[in-house]
Amino acid sequence: MSTSVDPSSSETNLVVVGGARLEGTIRVGGAKNSALKLMAATLLAEGTYRLANVPRITDVALMSDLLRATGASVHWDESGPDAVLVIDIPAVIEPVAPYELVEQFRASIVVLGPMLARCGEARVALPGGDDFGPRPIDMHVRGLSELGVEFETSHGYIHASAPNLRGARVLLEFPSVGATENLLMAAVRAKGATVIDNAAREPEIADLCELLNKMGAKIEGSGSSTLLVEGVEELHCADHTVIPDRIEAATYLAALGIAGGEVTVEGARHAHMAMLCQKLGEMGMRISPDADGIWAFAGGRLRSSDCSTLPYPGLATDFKPFLVALLATAEGVGIVTENLFSGRFRYVDELRRMGADIRTDSHHAVVRGVERLSGAPVKAHDIRAGAALVIAALAADGETVVSEAHHVARGYDDIAAKLRGLGADVRLA
Ligand code: UD1
């Protein structure tokens, strides 16, 4: 895949024939939710950055285009055994994030902080909602205002200016991942110290802190809910390797849980997904960390369990569609509660088309496991929902066609080929 997005790329289907047991080793790629933020962080200082273990997915191509819109150049260096993303940030950047790109991926809002830190101003298109409801940015705005940023909104753009960023104490109402990241990337260049309280603790934020510190930032408390940032006058470019994608790893564990078999998810970090592993253990899987990643075994029909999403280290909201798919064929009834996003149950209608017995009411889904699902034409509404349908299809009789699979490609580098490597019958068509 090039780093540029092909707007003509047509919709594709993932075709899955259920029934195969999964065996072998599957390698997890770099974390999407980290790579996108690390790419945004490069805007903070001139120079050439080499980012290793960046996943070759559509969202990375979109972020590459967003960096190019500021004047950067971005390409893959394929000279070594693994491709490296090379980003050249010029001495002067244009602090603008155009609508055409922002509307395609919400994570683009994280360029706001670095642009403000670097240029004292930014013009970023207002992100819209998406398939799982409105996703406001009020906490980003409130936090950055504490740092001296002034905001004006007109013609669908946020115009932010901060000629003199200054450190401040910011207490987040909720540990928002995006707001924590924007605040961090602004605070590293603010005058004086910033304290971010009730910060998000996701491993992807710790990864961002690591790159920022390599660039000369002074951040303490990485991985905790209080981040201390001492602003510095200057930052410089650095190289970095992206952490493994815990959501992709979770996808393969769930695939194993529903299909049965024995799999090693190479590169996965058990510590980044301990709560999920515990939950899957409760449901009857055997999971343990090993030298290569995570080893897992699923011997028969899983047992139901109640699941509730929470900020890290709780069960990630991104895991929820996979858990619902697993519960769809587990023995008993499981209640799933969504505590982060509203309306993140659209894929449930698709699972019902495959014979799942699921009732939803506001933030809850009651999943009554059935013995077997049946293959059907279904539609992917977003990245994780699409992956959940693929997981469910592995345990369905006959063929399932997951349409609009381009959503899945936003977050997975060839999921079909990877699952085929374990013996599953999955192809793009
Ligand atoms: C990131 C992840 C996403 C994950 C989510 C929660 C990326 C690219 N995406 O999204 O996969 O599901 O974290 O772990 O990293 N909120 C507000 N106001 C704000 C900001 C957030 O009300 O200013 C609300 C959101 O609507 C949501 C909750 O806070 O209900 C959590 O959002 P947040 O943690 O910010 O998620 P993202 O950073 O958008």
Side-chain angles (χ1 to χ4, degrees):
M1 189 204 278
S2 86
T3 60
S4 199
V5 179
D6 174 8
S8 67
S9 70
S10 58
E11 286 171 9
T12 41
N13 298 322
L14 277 160
V15 181
V16 185
V17 179
R21 210 179 126 81
L22 304 185
E23 297 287 344
T25 297
I26 189 164
R27 187 158 184 84
V28 72
K32 168 181 91 72
N33 288 354
S34 185
L36 297 175
K37 321 307 169 63
L38 300 171
M39 291 173 76
T42 65
L43 290 170
L44 282 164
E46 180 187 1
T48 302
Y49 297 74
R50 294 178 61 81
L51 299 183
N53 205 30
V54 174
R56 303 191 92 165
I57 54 175
T58 313
D59 276 15
V60 163
L62 288 165
M63 184 56 101
S64 301
D65 281 351
L66 190 45
L67 295 183
R68 288 189 187 103
T70 71
S73 74
V74 186
H75 71 275
W76 291 102
D77 173 358
E78 306 198 74
S79 59
D82 295 309
V84 171
L85 192 70
V86 182
I87 302 172
D88 267 306
I89 300 291
V92 178
I93 62 162
E94 183 75 24
V96 174
Y99 175 71
E100 306 74 64
L101 291 168
V102 171
E103 60 110 15
Q104 293 189 66
F105 74 123
R106 237 198 75 96
S108 52
I109 190 70
V110 293
V111 297
L112 184 58
M115 281 176 175
L116 281 163
R118 177 87 187 275
C119 309
E121 58 172 335
R123 222 162 68 81
V124 177
L126 272 169
D130 56 28
D131 263 343
F132 35 90
R135 299 181 78 178
I137 55 162
D138 55 307
M139 283 187 253
H140 302 234
V141 168
R142 208 172 308 137
L144 289 168
S145 302
E146 304 277 350
L147 267 62
V149 181
E150 285 178 9
F151 290 93
E152 213 185 279
T153 305
S154 61
H155 306 292
Y157 277 78
I158 303 167
H159 302 258
S161 62
N164 302 301
L165 270 179
R166 52 166 197 270
R169 174 173 282 272
V170 180
L171 174 60
L172 288 174
E173 197 178 322
F174 180 91
S176 153
V177 171
T180 303
E181 291 163 339
N182 255 331
L183 283 165
L184 266 174
M185 289 192 274
V188 289
R189 285 289 314 276
K191 199 168 168 53
T194 297
V195 178
I196 309 172
D197 250 329
N198 199 22
R201 300 164 56 189
E202 271 70 1
E204 293 75 21
I205 292 183
D207 204 24
L208 175 64
C209 289
E210 198 181 320
L211 173 66
L212 292 170
N213 281 342
K214 280 188 205 167
M215 290 169 68
K218 290 188 177 155
I219 305 170
E220 284 177 26
S222 166
S224 79
S225 53
T226 303
L227 296 168
L228 305 168
V229 188
E230 188 63 49
V232 295
E233 296 258 318
E234 221 177 87
L235 294 167
H236 51 80
C237 65
D239 296 343
H240 193 69
T241 300
V242 181
I243 56 167
D245 196 318
R246 63 197 165 102
I247 311 172
E248 187 194 356
T251 312
Y252 305 138
L253 290 180
L256 172 70
I258 207 160
E262 184 176 348
V263 164
T264 296
V265 186
E266 204 176 58
R269 290 195 195 161
H270 189 274
H272 288 178
M273 44 203 303
M275 191 65 77
L276 177 76
C277 292
Q278 185 174 303
K279 182 56 67 180
L280 295 178
E282 259 173 59
M283 292 171 73
M285 290 179 72
R286 279 165 54 201
I287 301 183
S288 55
D290 78 3
D292 296 326
I294 295 178
W295 170 90
F297 172 82
R301 194 172 173 199
L302 298 183
R303 294 182 293 276
S304 287
S305 175
D306 294 341
C307 309
S308 193
T309 65
L310 282 173
Y312 189 84
L315 270 182
T317 180
D318 307 73
F319 298 156
K320 194 192 54 193
F322 315 152
L323 289 164
V324 171
L326 275 184
L327 291 171
T329 59
E331 204 166 343
V333 180
I335 299 175
V336 180
T337 304
E338 170 62 58
N339 291 310
L340 274 81
F341 291 102
S342 56
R344 236 186 172 184
F345 280 119
R346 278 188 68 183
Y347 56 93
V348 162
D349 290 334
E350 307 299 314
L351 287 172
R352 283 200 198 102
R353 309 194 69 254
M354 298 174 71
D357 180 351
I358 307 173
R359 281 195 305 142
T360 57
D361 183 12
S362 134
H363 286 237
H364 305 283
V366 179
V367 189
R368 202 172 295 275
V370 296
E371 291 240 359
R372 197 93 192 129
L373 296 171
S374 66
V378 289
K379 196 183 282 182
H381 290 294
D382 69 60
I383 308 176
R384 308 304 167 192
L389 294 171
V390 172
I391 292 168
L394 295 173
D397 285 326
E399 185 178 275
T400 296
V401 179
V402 183
S403 61
E404 302 201 7
H406 58 284
H407 284 299
V408 181
R410 282 189 47 202
Y412 292 87
D413 177 8
D414 209 348
I415 192 172
K418 284 194 172 181
L419 288 172
R420 270 201 308 278
L422 296 178
D425 187 345
V426 186
R427 65 194 150 83
L428 273 174

